[in-house]
Amino acid sequence: MRLLTHNMLSSNIKGVTSGFPLRLEVEKVVEKQVDFNADFLNNMFVKIEWKALVDASRAMGYADLPDQTEPSMLDSDEFLKKFHHALLELHLEEGALICPETGRRFPVNKGIPNMLLHEDEV
Amino acid sequence: MKLKQLESLLGDLQQFENPKVELEQYPTGPHIASRMLYTAENSFGDVSNKVVADFGCGCGTLGVAAALLGAEHVVGLDIDSQSLDIASQNAEDLELDINFVQCDIRNLGWRGQVVDTVVMNPPFGTRKKGADMDFLSVALKIASQAVYSLHKTTTRDHVKRAALRDFNASSAEVLCELRYDVRQLYKFHKKKEVDIAVDLWRFVPQKGQGKGI
């Protein structure tokens, strides 16, 4: 699972008001190379929750994203390459996503998070 | 990629081994799937360089088609882990990098604005009434650009009304009518092969919607 997917998922357990972002429990990370697409990254930049991406990439062992950003950074190839790597190339292969409010664990196996809720959570 | 080539690649995908009737698991045939995504890409530019979600992806046919046509990021969502295993294998066989999430679309937690396009072949709701409308309602909440979906032609008026009035779509248009051949997958099917008329729809969510759920 790429961190772009993580940047969209949230915990939807009954009663939870802010299920985003899910915390990462990391057992295994896989890197897969993806072609660099600057236009796509420029598009994504305004849609991404930056802090969630930074925290998630750090949990995955990648610490090169800056805490603060400004639009002018998009002119820098170096910045875009880091953004590209964190967003698309790092995969959580084994581990879990943790609901920020309840601590409920959603396991990730073979890169697939299981977000199914139990009957009493719906 | 040419339509013929797309259809032939999709024709080689592995499909359900033991389809589950309660989930209305009917494979999306290569003919329909290729035309659906080819139209989305070539008539509307809704696929290449986009973020595409495949709702109720089953064995991943529509998501694979999106990836083959150049979608930058594809997420397939399904409730059934066996389907997702087959779907990941299908993606891997074609060396496509697709993400999969196991979830129930009806109680999905999802931040909006990021997904451009949702593609889906929802359960038609013959077993669980209203299932296709549940999918459509969620799709229109998370897509920022367009939703492509298949619905039985007999439900055309109902689908249009629900999309525009209940789910706030800014447009709902039938692009074409297709024949869906449902092979004799289940014991309750009496005929060997049945053709069902289905509509290929394109819905446009209202601007500023897509806030997520």
Side-chain angles (χ1 to χ4, degrees):
Chain A
M1 182 193 64
R2 292 172 172 174
L3 293 187
L4 175 49
T5 298
H6 168 261
N7 213 274
M8 298 186 268
L9 280 177
S10 72
S11 160
N12 202 25
I13 299 169
K14 189 178 163 192
V16 167
T17 51
S18 172
F20 180 89
L22 294 153
R23 271 199 334 269
L24 263 66
E25 194 182 289
V26 181
E27 278 169 40
K28 187 180 172 196
V29 177
V30 176
E31 293 188 22
K32 295 179 198 168
Q33 224 183 331
V34 180
D35 288 344
F36 181 77
N37 180 345
D39 287 344
F40 178 76
L41 294 169
N42 275 293
N43 251 326
M44 274 298 120
F45 184 73
V46 289
K47 300 178 175 178
I48 286 295
E49 286 283 340
W50 188 257
K51 191 176 182 314
L53 179 65
V54 172
D55 291 347
S57 64
R58 286 186 186 156
M60 306 264 277
Y62 183 72
D64 286 3
L65 287 186
D67 284 309
Q68 303 295 328
T69 57
E70 43 186 294
S72 67
M73 286 173 144
L74 293 172
D75 299 330
S76 149
D77 255 10
E78 198 195 334
F79 170 75
L80 284 180
K81 289 208 165 114
K82 289 173 182 171
F83 181 29
H84 168 82
H85 182 67
L87 192 69
L88 303 172
E89 295 188 324
L90 293 175
H91 290 253
L92 180 61
E93 186 72 8
E94 299 290 335
L97 304 174
I98 315 286
C99 170
E101 260 185 49
T102 64
R104 153 80 140 93
R105 202 172 167 273
F106 297 97
V108 178
N109 296 118
K110 290 189 218 153
I112 304 177
N114 178 353
M115 304 301 294
L116 289 179
L117 299 175
H118 304 308
E119 247 171 58
D120 58 354
E121 295 174 326
V122 179
Chain B
M1 182 176 290
K2 295 215 168 84
L3 178 60
K4 276 251 151 60
Q5 196 185 352
L6 179 65
E7 183 172 348
S8 134
L9 284 169
L10 298 180
D12 291 337
L13 297 179
Q14 208 183 316
Q15 297 298 340
F16 302 108
E17 279 163 32
N18 301 297
K20 299 185 177 69
V21 61
E22 68 278 14
L23 297 175
E24 296 187 43
Q25 289 180 333
Y26 296 94
T28 315
H31 177 85
I32 287 187
S34 58
R35 271 146 194 84
M36 189 166 172
L37 271 294
Y38 194 82
T39 306
E41 171 59 10
N42 291 285
S43 305
F44 300 97
D46 284 333
V47 180
S48 63
N49 299 317
K50 303 292 182 196
V51 176
V52 177
D54 178 358
F55 273 18
C57 66
C59 300
T61 310
L62 296 176
V64 163
L68 286 169
L69 291 177
E72 185 71 27
H73 183 69
V74 179
V75 191
L77 304 98
D78 205 283
I79 197 168
D80 179 40
S81 62
Q82 281 168 319
S83 299
L84 290 170
D85 285 342
I86 300 174
S88 337
Q89 194 57 54
N90 279 333
E92 208 172 296
D93 289 347
L94 288 167
E95 293 178 2
L96 299 169
D97 189 5
I98 298 181
N99 281 187
F100 294 99
V101 175
Q102 188 179 6
C103 62
D104 185 340
I105 297 289
R106 288 163 306 172
N107 51 45
L108 179 66
W110 199 268
R111 203 170 66 77
Q113 305 295 358
V114 188
V115 168
D116 296 296
T117 306
V118 173
V119 294
M120 59 184 191
N121 175 16
F124 290 148
T126 46
R127 290 269 142 178
K128 200 177 264 172
K129 208 168 157 37
D132 57 339
M133 290 298 105
D134 290 343
F135 271 52
L136 182 58
S137 154
V138 176
L140 280 164
K141 281 183 191 140
I142 72 152
S144 62
Q145 204 161 316
V147 175
Y148 293 84
S149 183
L150 298 167
H151 299 272
K152 282 162 101 169
T153 300
T154 50
T155 62
R156 189 178 289 181
D157 293 344
H158 172 65
V159 170
K160 184 152 202 154
R161 214 168 32 237
L164 295 175
R165 195 189 55 192
D166 303 336
F167 311 145
N168 284 319
S170 71
S171 80
E173 189 190 346
V174 174
L175 301 178
C176 62
E177 197 181 308
L178 295 156
R179 313 296 301 177
Y180 197 105
D181 63 322
V182 180
R183 302 258 160 77
Q184 195 182 18
L185 281 176
Y186 303 117
K187 286 205 176 105
F188 66 82
H189 286 158
K190 293 195 182 78
K191 292 180 195 159
K192 267 232 163 94
E193 199 165 305
V194 193
D195 257 8
I196 299 178
V198 294
D199 293 334
L200 169 56
W201 286 85
R202 180 176 191 267
F203 305 94
V204 177
Q206 201 145 74
K207 261 226 159 352
Q209 218 181 342
K211 289 210 170 61
I213 37 174

